[in-house]
Amino acid sequence: MSREQQAVARARKAFETGRSRPLEYRIIQLKNLQRLFIERQKEISDAVKKDLNKSEVGTQLYETLGLEGEISLAIRKLREWAAPRPVEKNLLTLSDTVYIQPEPLGVVLIIGAWNYPWAVTVQPLIGAIAAGNAAVVKPSEVCVHTAKVMEDLLPLYIDKELYPVVTGGVPETQELLRQRFDHIFYTGNSTVGKVIMEAAAKNLTPLTLELGGKSPCYIDKNCDISIACRRITWGKYTNCGQTCIAPDYILCDPSIQDRVIEEVKKSIKDFYTEKPKTCPDYGRIINQRHFKRIMALVGDSAVAAGGDGDESDCFIAPTVLRDVKPDAKVMQEEIFGPLLPILPVSGLDEAIKFINKREKPLVLYVFSADEKVINRMRDETSSGGFLANDCLVHFSVSSLPFGGVGNSGMGCYHGKFSFDQLSHLRGCLIKKLKMEGVNNMRYPPHTPKKLGCARFFILKTFDLGWVGRMLLLALMAVVAAFVLQVRETQAKSKKMLLFLFVCLFVSFHVFS
Amino acid sequence: MSQEELVVERARRSFQTGRSKPLEFRLQQLRRLQSFLKERQEDIKDALQKDLGKSGCASELYELLVVEAELQLSLTRLAEWAAPRPVEKNLFTLSDEVYVRPEPLGVVLIVGPWNYPWSLTLLPLVGAIAAGNAAIVKPSEISSTSSTVIKQLLPLYLDKDLYQVVEGGVPETQQLLKQRFDHIFYTGSTAVGKLVMEAAAPHLTPVTLELGGKSPCYIDKDCDIRIACRRITWAKLINCGQTCIAPDFILCEPSVQNRVVEEIRRCVKEFYADSPKTSDDYGRIINQRQFKRIVGLMEGCTIAFGGDADESQGYIGPTVLKNVTGDSRVMQEEIFGPLLPIVTVQSVDEAIHFINEREKPLALYVFSHNVKLIEKVLAETSSGALVANDCIVHFLDSALPFGGVGHSGMGRYRGRHTFDQLSNLRSCMIKQLKMEGLNSMRYPPHSTKKLGWARRFLLSQLNVQKLRNMAMLAMLTCLAAFVVQSANQCWHHRRIIYWKLVHEACPAYCLVPKAIILLRIISSKAASFTQTTALSLRDNVFLSRKPAHTSTLLLITQHASLPLVEGLLCSAVPALKLSSRCRSSAAGVQSGPSLYWSKHFIFVLM
C-alpha cells in the first residue's frame, strides 16, 4: 500500500465513523484552523518569503487575511448553510415536507497551487471542513518550504486522520489520482486540469477546476486613466504577476497608449520605488524554469518599461510591452509573470471581437466611466467573473461565486459557494402513508378521466409562498380594521393595540 | 468535415450571432415547443407504443405531462431566473454594484436515454433553451421510432440552426463526443457516463450525468404495508420496470416478507387485471438483449410469483423474488426490468449497513410511520434523493433538484436547477473610478499600519442588510411612539390622506390598502367615508383644495399618523418581499409634494 493509498484509506475510515458530521465538530476544527493562522504567522510568512520572496505584511494581506475572513464567515454562518432548505410547494406536495438537505460528500482531494500556496489550498479546505467532509490536502511541491510547513503544522491543529496532508511531486499526485475520491478540487493550469478530469472520469468523481487563462483588461479612453492604471499596476505586479486573476494584457485605443504607459510607470515607481529589485514588497519568480519561460515571452515585442531580469535571483522587473501584435509570443499563453503587453485596438467593438476570439477568461476587467461601455462589454462577452474599474478585489468578496468557465475552469467556490460545491444537495420528500385516494389518478388501469385529474394537479402551479404571503397580509388588514374599530370606542387601549401592530410587523419580518 | 462536426459548427455559429440570448426569443421557442407537444401528441404516442408498448394514457402521464409542466414553469419564471441576482454586500463593496448574472454557456450536447425517450430528452432541452444556449439533441438509437420522430418533427417547430437533432448509434455518438461543447448533459448508464466524462476532459467541458443505480426501498414493519406496497408496485412496474428511479429492491424484516409479497400480488392484480400480458397499461422490454439480460438475472432466486416471459413480445410478467441475498446475481447490477427482489434484514441498522456497503443510489425510499426512523435513514445514508412513504414522485416536483451522487451521477436538474446548471453564473462587480484614497491600504509599500486597516475592513463582520433592517425597525418604533403621542385628531381627514398616500405612493400594491378600506367601509360609518373616498377617487385635487394641509409633515403627523403606519405597513411588507420591482414603481411616482415623506419612508424601508 502506497503512502497516498494509506492516507486516503485512513481518511475514508475516519469519515465513515461519522465524526466529521456534527456541526460542533466542524466548528471546532475551523476554530483550530483559525488558531493556526494566529499562532504560526511567523513560520508561515518565513516559508512564503523563501518560496516567493513575499514580505511578511504581503503574506498576511494576500494570503492569510482572506483565509481568516473566510473561516470566521464559515463559523458564523455554518448553521444556516447546513440547515435543511425548504423548497416551494405545489398542489401535489401540499401536505408533505419538501426540502433540500446539504450533506457531506465523503473524501475530498484538494490539490493546491504554488502562486498563493496558502490561500488557494486552505480556502477549499475550509469549505471541505464546513461541509463535513474528510479531505486529503496536497500542497504544490513547487513551493518547497510552504509544503513542508503545511505538512508539519496542519496536523498539529486539525484532525490528522480526517484531514491528512500528502506532499510530493508528479508521481505522488498521479498515485493520488488513482484513488477514489468523492470530489476533486484542483487549482492550477488547464493542461493538468484536463489530466485530472480524465482521471476523475474513471471513478465518476465530480470536480472543481480553478484554472487560469489570459484575463483581458480594457481601458476606455474616456476614463480617469491615472486611477485606472494605478489599480491595474497593483493587480498586475502583486506577487510578481503570478496571480491567476491578474490582468494579463491591456486593450486600449492607440491614442491613449502613451498615457497608459506613463501612468503605469509612475505607479510602479510609487509602489516599488525606483529599484524594484531591492524593494521588499516586490516578489520573485518561483523558479528558474518559469523565469526562462517568462523572459522568452518578451521575444520580439517592444519594451516600454522594465524588461531586465536576473536569473540568479529569479527577478524580473515590472515590464510593459507596447504595440503588441495579437500573434506575438506573449499573447499565446497565460503570462503569469510581470509582463504587461498593451494591444492597441480601435474601439470597443474590436476589443469585444478580440476577446471573443479567444478562450473564455477567468475574469474580464473594464475601466470606463461610461455605464454603456461597461454594459456592452458585459453583455457581449463571457468570462468567469466580470469586474469594472478595479482589479483582483472580487476575489475578496465571499458573497460572489469565484470560478471560471470553459478553459478557465468549472465549478465555483468562496463562502457559501464552497460549502455548496463540496456538499451533496440531497432532495428530500417526506410524505405520509395516508390519503391513498388522491393517488388513484396515477394508478393503472389508466383512463382519460384519471389523466384529466393528474393533468390538473401537475399543471396547476400555485405559488404557495405567494398565497401564504397574501394570507398574512389579509390577516394584518383584518387586525388593522379591528384596531380602528376598537380605537373609536376605547381610545385608551390604543397604545396596546399599536404595540400589537408593531409586534405583528416585526414578527412578520422575522418570519419572512 | 464529418456530419457531426458540421452540425456543431452550424449551431455554434448561430449561437455566436447572439440571437438565442434575448428573453423574447427563448420564450418564443419554448412556446413553439409547447405547441409541438400539443399538436403532435398522436405521433409521439404512436412512437412510444411501438418502442416500449406504452399506452396512450401512460405516455401522456409519464412522458408528456412533466415536460408540459416544465415548459409552463419556465415560461412563467424565466424572467425571474434570468435576472441578475444581487448578493450581500460588505464594507468593501458598500458603494458598488455586486451581483451574479446567469449567462448562456454556448452549445450544449444532450444525449437522451431510451426508457423515457421524450421526457428525459426534452427536459434538458427546455432548460437549454431557457438558459439561452444552442443545443444538439441526440436521442437514443435504441428507441428508434421516437428518435426518428424527434428528428423529423422538432426542426419544424424550433429554430433549425440553434437546436439540431442528430440521430445515430455508438459511432455517431463517439464522433459527436469528439467535438467541443460547452456542456454535456447525458442521461443513461454508469458505464457510458464514464466514457462521456472521459471524452469531455480534453475540452474541459462540464458534464451533467444522470445515471442510475440500485435504488433501495426499506419497509419498516410498523407501517401501513398495504398502502406502502401499492405505491411500490405502481412505481416498480411503470414502463415495465425500466425507470431509473424505480425501487430496485426491497429491504424488510423477515416477519413482514410474506405480507409484502401478498400485498404486491394483490396490487398487480388490481392494476393490471389477471393477465398483465393483455393489459394495455403494462409495457414491454425494449429489446431482445435487455430481455435476455433480465431473464438471466432471475437465475438462482426463489420466485414468489410471476417469472413468466415471452421473448417474441419482449414481455416479462411482474415478478417478485423472495429471500434474495446480497451476493445473488440480481443484486449485482441495476435491474431495469419488472423484477422485485426482497432482501430480508433484521433491523433498520442492518438495512443502513446494507445500503452503505453499495454505491450511492439515485434515490432511496423509506416507508415508515416513525419520523425518527426516517430521520435516522436520512442522516446515516447518502443518495441522490430521499423519499419517505412514496416512490418516484419527487421527479414530478420541479422545486427539488434531481440528480445523483457518486456512481448515480453528478449535477442536478428540473426547473430552475436545469436553468442554473446550463448557465454560467457570472459574478459581476461594478465599481467606480473614485475614492482612490481608500485603496492606499492595499498598495505597496506595505506597512503594518496599512495592514491593520485592511484587517479591520476585511474582517469586519458588518452585515449591511442586517443594519438596514435594524434601522428600519428602530424607525418604526419611533414612528409608533410618535403616533401614540399625537393620534388624537378627527377621523375624517385621516382617512382621506391615508387613502391618497397609499394610493399614490404604492400604486402596484394598492390592492391591499383598497381591501382594507373596503373593510373599513363595512365596519365604520359608511356614509361619510364613501363620500370622502369618492372625492379622492374622482380626482387628485383634494390636497390642493385645502392648502392648509399641503404642508405635509405637519399634516401627516397631525391627521394621518395611525393610518399612515398602517398604510406604510401594508405597502412595506410586499415592498420588502419584492423590493426590486416595487422600487421602480415607487420611483415612478412623481406627483404631489405631500407625498415626499411617505415616499421617503418607503425608500428607506426598502
Side-chain angles (χ1 to χ4, degrees), chain A residues 149-262:
Chain A
V149 171
M150 214 178 274
E151 194 184 11
D152 292 343
L153 292 187
L154 274 185
L156 298 181
Y157 287 84
I158 53 178
D159 193 317
K160 40 179 175 295
E161 282 176 352
L162 276 170
Y163 318 109
V165 180
V166 176
T167 53
V170 178
E172 284 82 1
T173 313
Q174 280 169 340
E175 177 60 26
L176 263 180
L177 286 173
R178 271 192 284 274
Q179 313 307 315
R180 184 171 174 184
F181 292 96
D182 297 288
H183 195 99
I184 298 177
F185 197 111
Y186 169 76
T187 310
N189 64 53
S190 305
T191 322
V192 180
K194 289 174 188 174
V195 175
I196 289 182
M197 188 164 175
E198 222 174 284
K202 298 200 169 66
N203 290 317
L204 281 173
T205 308
L207 32 84
T208 307
L209 300 176
E210 297 293 340
L211 314 174
K214 289 182 86 65
S215 301
C217 176
Y218 175 72
I219 308 180
D220 187 27
K221 66 170 179 261
N222 300 322
C223 78
D224 186 332
I225 293 176
S226 119
I227 294 187
C229 289
R230 241 174 112 82
R231 295 181 181 179
I232 294 169
T233 308
W234 172 73
K236 180 73 191 183
Y237 300 112
T238 295
N239 200 22
C240 207
Q242 300 164 105
T243 310
C244 52
I245 46 172
D248 194 272
Y249 57 91
I250 289 178
L251 293 167
C252 69
D253 200 89
S255 63
I256 58 166
Q257 184 176 207
D258 288 326
R259 263 205 72 199
V260 169
I261 294 171
E262 276 323 299

Side-chain angles (χ1 to χ4, degrees), chain A residues 50-53 114 142 239-242 282-295 309-311 313-317 335-339:
Chain A
K50 280 183 204 151
D51 285 325
L52 286 148
N53 192 36
W114 53 262
V142 179
N239 200 22
C240 207
Q242 300 164 105
Y282 191 71
R284 293 292 180 271
I285 302 300
I286 182 78
N287 57 26
Q288 308 259 320
R289 195 170 70 83
H290 279 281
F291 176 87
K292 286 193 186 117
R293 180 186 61 80
I294 297 166
M295 287 309 272
D310 175 354
E311 189 166 347
D313 194 20
C314 280
F315 164 82
I316 299 178
I335 297 170
F336 229 63
L339 314 182

